[in-house]
Amino acid sequence: MLTKRIIPCLDIKDGRTVKGINFLDLKDAGDPVALASRYAADLADELVFLDITATVEFRKTLIHIVEDVAREINIPFTVGGGVSSIKDASALLDAGAEKIAINSAAVRNPGLIDDMALEFGSQAVVVAIDSKLMGDEDIVHVRGGRTPTERKTLLWVKEAENRGAGEILLTSMDHDGTKAGFANDLNRKVGSLINIPIIASGGGGEMIHFEDAFLIGKSDAALAASIFHYNEIGITDLKKHLYSKGIPMRLS
Amino acid sequence: MKIAIIRYNAGNVRSVTNALNRFGVEPIVTDSAEILNSCDKVIFPGVGEASTAMKYLRNKGLDEAIRGIRAPFLGICLGLQLMCRHSEENDTTCLDIFPLEVKKFPARDKIPHMGWNNINDLKGPLLQNIALDSHLYFVHSYYAEVSENTVATTNYIEAFSAALQKDNFYAIQSHPEKSGDVGQKILENFLSL
């Protein structure tokens, strides 16, 4: 049976792993290659690297980190942050990434999703979405979550799927950094609209939050950063707990 | 031992190279038929789309070269699919090493099949000493049917071929180079053939 995935996210700034509280107030959480190795040994199912400053500062993701990580670990990883062309994506795939996450660039130029799906296959295309509740609508934000757009999250996920996205990485900016649980209502709503996997992101602070992300939010994967970076929850311990609750998990 | 990785426009060459380097093996990445034929093992990786990949292989004459290889040969992911007769992905005629149709998963569940899934019905030297129900990492939207060439199966929506073998041609749908210690063991099995 296909297992649910636990995905540590490494937000990269200037070659170091950082985690923001509500995307601001960055703290240093260490060397990304060392962290990646630790997570792989601890049975992380996959990793996500986001060069969180890339869009804002117009920097490209650091290829050499991707190369170093790919040399060290033997589990899959996704890289995103500032990817705005086939050329950017191709360089990261060549460096050893399995999948490329696109966010702001896809909102600016939705055809990039189609182009990437044709060039690399849908399975390599992750559309990352930063969503925030405004009034009673979930609205897509760009530029590291700073800028609201005209797009409604529920319409954008559907469009992304139709254009060839292979996966949705959905970050709830209302939940991110709170450690109060994932956006299960939003994730379940999105899941009922599309037929591609959803990675729940933002709000994971305790084991029960991950349980809820799968059992209530119906997510395919759950992503978190600081609780793993600072060893608040061990990944193997978390997976054993989830398995004991009947959630399919890879344990060896 | 000379190990070749076929260079083309849909290879996850870096990941496979890294996995081989962990065994102390430095592969030769090449699109030369002559060099491929001089190697002890050939690996045919694949991440991408079938029609674009086949077009490239034909333009380079690599389709004929691949069919002629007599050394142990391992197709990975899209590599497995390209080794079949035909793929529904953009209606692509493939290499016809395995007389199989590659189909898109029916939309009864999420597509792509992405993540860790278990393998069963293990046969042959590629899956030797691999525990039943071991998990491997899959990322694909198309699959090869179960057939007499099947040496491992996985279930996702349908039972499909997780691995195939015919003579010197081996193929695996998952990414052993990204499947933790189990994947590493499968690559070791291939290198020991």
PDB file of all heavy atoms in Angstrom, chain A residues 11-24:
ATOM      1  N   ASP A  11      14.249  25.300   4.740  1.00  0.00           N
ATOM      2  CA  ASP A  11      14.225  26.619   4.124  1.00  0.00           C
ATOM      3  C   ASP A  11      15.656  27.142   4.115  1.00  0.00           C
ATOM      4  O   ASP A  11      16.307  27.209   5.158  1.00  0.00           O
ATOM      5  CB  ASP A  11      13.329  27.581   4.914  1.00  0.00           C
ATOM      6  CG  ASP A  11      11.855  27.199   4.809  1.00  0.00           C
ATOM      7  OD1 ASP A  11      11.500  26.424   3.908  1.00  0.00           O
ATOM      8  OD2 ASP A  11      11.063  27.676   5.639  1.00  0.00           O
ATOM      9  N   ILE A  12      16.123  27.487   2.938  1.00  0.00           N
ATOM     10  CA  ILE A  12      17.526  27.861   2.775  1.00  0.00           C
ATOM     11  C   ILE A  12      17.652  29.362   2.551  1.00  0.00           C
ATOM     12  O   ILE A  12      16.957  29.931   1.709  1.00  0.00           O
ATOM     13  CB  ILE A  12      18.140  27.138   1.543  1.00  0.00           C
ATOM     14  CG1 ILE A  12      17.902  25.636   1.601  1.00  0.00           C
ATOM     15  CG2 ILE A  12      19.625  27.479   1.404  1.00  0.00           C
ATOM     16  CD1 ILE A  12      18.690  24.921   2.649  1.00  0.00           C
ATOM     17  N   LYS A  13      18.544  29.956   3.295  1.00  0.00           N
ATOM     18  CA  LYS A  13      18.904  31.357   3.043  1.00  0.00           C
ATOM     19  C   LYS A  13      20.411  31.476   3.187  1.00  0.00           C
ATOM     20  O   LYS A  13      20.954  31.087   4.213  1.00  0.00           O
ATOM     21  CB  LYS A  13      18.214  32.284   4.039  1.00  0.00           C
ATOM     22  CG  LYS A  13      18.494  33.766   3.805  1.00  0.00           C
ATOM     23  CD  LYS A  13      17.709  34.614   4.806  1.00  0.00           C
ATOM     24  CE  LYS A  13      17.730  36.085   4.445  1.00  0.00           C
ATOM     25  NZ  LYS A  13      19.024  36.718   4.677  1.00  0.00           N
ATOM     26  N   ASP A  14      21.049  31.971   2.158  1.00  0.00           N
ATOM     27  CA  ASP A  14      22.504  32.137   2.168  1.00  0.00           C
ATOM     28  C   ASP A  14      23.226  30.851   2.576  1.00  0.00           C
ATOM     29  O   ASP A  14      24.187  30.883   3.359  1.00  0.00           O
ATOM     30  CB  ASP A  14      22.914  33.278   3.110  1.00  0.00           C
ATOM     31  CG  ASP A  14      22.265  34.588   2.709  1.00  0.00           C
ATOM     32  OD1 ASP A  14      21.991  34.748   1.493  1.00  0.00           O
ATOM     33  OD2 ASP A  14      22.008  35.427   3.587  1.00  0.00           O
ATOM     34  N   GLY A  15      22.723  29.716   2.088  1.00  0.00           N
ATOM     35  CA  GLY A  15      23.403  28.453   2.315  1.00  0.00           C
ATOM     36  C   GLY A  15      23.144  27.801   3.657  1.00  0.00           C
ATOM     37  O   GLY A  15      23.702  26.767   3.973  1.00  0.00           O
ATOM     38  N   ARG A  16      22.295  28.428   4.478  1.00  0.00           N
ATOM     39  CA  ARG A  16      21.986  27.858   5.789  1.00  0.00           C
ATOM     40  C   ARG A  16      20.495  27.570   5.864  1.00  0.00           C
ATOM     41  O   ARG A  16      19.687  28.176   5.169  1.00  0.00           O
ATOM     42  CB  ARG A  16      22.368  28.835   6.913  1.00  0.00           C
ATOM     43  CG  ARG A  16      23.814  29.249   6.918  1.00  0.00           C
ATOM     44  CD  ARG A  16      24.722  28.172   7.445  1.00  0.00           C
ATOM     45  NE  ARG A  16      24.543  27.953   8.885  1.00  0.00           N
ATOM     46  CZ  ARG A  16      25.191  27.009   9.570  1.00  0.00           C
ATOM     47  NH1 ARG A  16      26.019  26.175   8.937  1.00  0.00           N
ATOM     48  NH2 ARG A  16      24.999  26.860  10.872  1.00  0.00           N
ATOM     49  N   THR A  17      20.145  26.628   6.755  1.00  0.00           N
ATOM     50  CA  THR A  17      18.736  26.307   6.960  1.00  0.00           C
ATOM     51  C   THR A  17      18.144  27.264   7.979  1.00  0.00           C
ATOM     52  O   THR A  17      18.700  27.455   9.050  1.00  0.00           O
ATOM     53  CB  THR A  17      18.592  24.875   7.493  1.00  0.00           C
ATOM     54  OG1 THR A  17      19.307  24.014   6.625  1.00  0.00           O
ATOM     55  CG2 THR A  17      17.144  24.465   7.544  1.00  0.00           C
ATOM     56  N   VAL A  18      17.023  27.829   7.626  1.00  0.00           N
ATOM     57  CA  VAL A  18      16.363  28.759   8.538  1.00  0.00           C
ATOM     58  C   VAL A  18      14.872  28.423   8.586  1.00  0.00           C
ATOM     59  O   VAL A  18      14.347  27.753   7.723  1.00  0.00           O
ATOM     60  CB  VAL A  18      16.510  30.227   8.080  1.00  0.00           C
ATOM     61  CG1 VAL A  18      17.955  30.680   8.197  1.00  0.00           C
ATOM     62  CG2 VAL A  18      16.016  30.393   6.650  1.00  0.00           C
ATOM     63  N   LYS A  19      14.225  28.852   9.611  1.00  0.00           N
ATOM     64  CA  LYS A  19      12.777  28.684   9.676  1.00  0.00           C
ATOM     65  C   LYS A  19      12.161  29.950  10.215  1.00  0.00           C
ATOM     66  O   LYS A  19      12.529  30.423  11.296  1.00  0.00           O
ATOM     67  CB  LYS A  19      12.413  27.507  10.590  1.00  0.00           C
ATOM     68  CG  LYS A  19      10.922  27.290  10.741  1.00  0.00           C
ATOM     69  CD  LYS A  19      10.250  27.001   9.413  1.00  0.00           C
ATOM     70  CE  LYS A  19       8.734  27.020   9.553  1.00  0.00           C
ATOM     71  NZ  LYS A  19       8.082  26.939   8.234  1.00  0.00           N
ATOM     72  N   GLY A  20      11.283  30.512   9.474  1.00  0.00           N
ATOM     73  CA  GLY A  20      10.642  31.748   9.911  1.00  0.00           C
ATOM     74  C   GLY A  20       9.386  31.474  10.711  1.00  0.00           C
ATOM     75  O   GLY A  20       8.752  30.448  10.562  1.00  0.00           O
ATOM     76  N   ILE A  21       9.066  32.374  11.577  1.00  0.00           N
ATOM     77  CA  ILE A  21       7.767  32.349  12.240  1.00  0.00           C
ATOM     78  C   ILE A  21       6.885  33.257  11.388  1.00  0.00           C
ATOM     79  O   ILE A  21       7.159  34.448  11.256  1.00  0.00           O
ATOM     80  CB  ILE A  21       7.866  32.900  13.681  1.00  0.00           C
ATOM     81  CG1 ILE A  21       8.956  32.152  14.464  1.00  0.00           C
ATOM     82  CG2 ILE A  21       6.516  32.815  14.371  1.00  0.00           C
ATOM     83  CD1 ILE A  21       8.738  30.667  14.657  1.00  0.00           C
ATOM     84  N   ASN A  22       5.830  32.690  10.829  1.00  0.00           N
ATOM     85  CA  ASN A  22       5.013  33.417   9.860  1.00  0.00           C
ATOM     86  C   ASN A  22       5.858  34.078   8.774  1.00  0.00           C
ATOM     87  O   ASN A  22       5.608  35.193   8.359  1.00  0.00           O
ATOM     88  CB  ASN A  22       4.120  34.447  10.534  1.00  0.00           C
ATOM     89  CG  ASN A  22       2.998  33.782  11.303  1.00  0.00           C
ATOM     90  OD1 ASN A  22       2.532  32.699  10.926  1.00  0.00           O
ATOM     91  ND2 ASN A  22       2.579  34.389  12.384  1.00  0.00           N
ATOM     92  N   PHE A  23       6.896  33.351   8.335  1.00  0.00           N
ATOM     93  CA  PHE A  23       7.759  33.752   7.224  1.00  0.00           C
ATOM     94  C   PHE A  23       8.674  34.925   7.535  1.00  0.00           C
ATOM     95  O   PHE A  23       9.379  35.415   6.698  1.00  0.00           O
ATOM     96  CB  PHE A  23       6.952  34.076   5.959  1.00  0.00           C
ATOM     97  CG  PHE A  23       6.455  32.865   5.235  1.00  0.00           C
ATOM     98  CD1 PHE A  23       5.533  32.024   5.816  1.00  0.00           C
ATOM     99  CD2 PHE A  23       6.919  32.548   3.966  1.00  0.00           C
ATOM    100  CE1 PHE A  23       5.069  30.895   5.158  1.00  0.00           C
ATOM    101  CE2 PHE A  23       6.459  31.422   3.299  1.00  0.00           C
ATOM    102  CZ  PHE A  23       5.531  30.601   3.904  1.00  0.00           C
ATOM    103  N   LEU A  24       8.666  35.420   8.749  1.00  0.00           N
ATOM    104  CA  LEU A  24       9.572  36.520   9.094  1.00  0.00           C
ATOM    105  C   LEU A  24      10.459  36.054  10.237  1.00  0.00           C
ATOM    106  O   LEU A  24      10.399  34.904  10.650  1.00  0.00           O
ATOM    107  CB  LEU A  24       8.766  37.763   9.505  1.00  0.00           C
ATOM    108  CG  LEU A  24       7.850  38.289   8.391  1.00  0.00           C
ATOM    109  CD1 LEU A  24       6.883  39.335   8.947  1.00  0.00           C
ATOM    110  CD2 LEU A  24       8.678  38.899   7.261  1.00  0.00           C
TER     111      LEU A  24
END
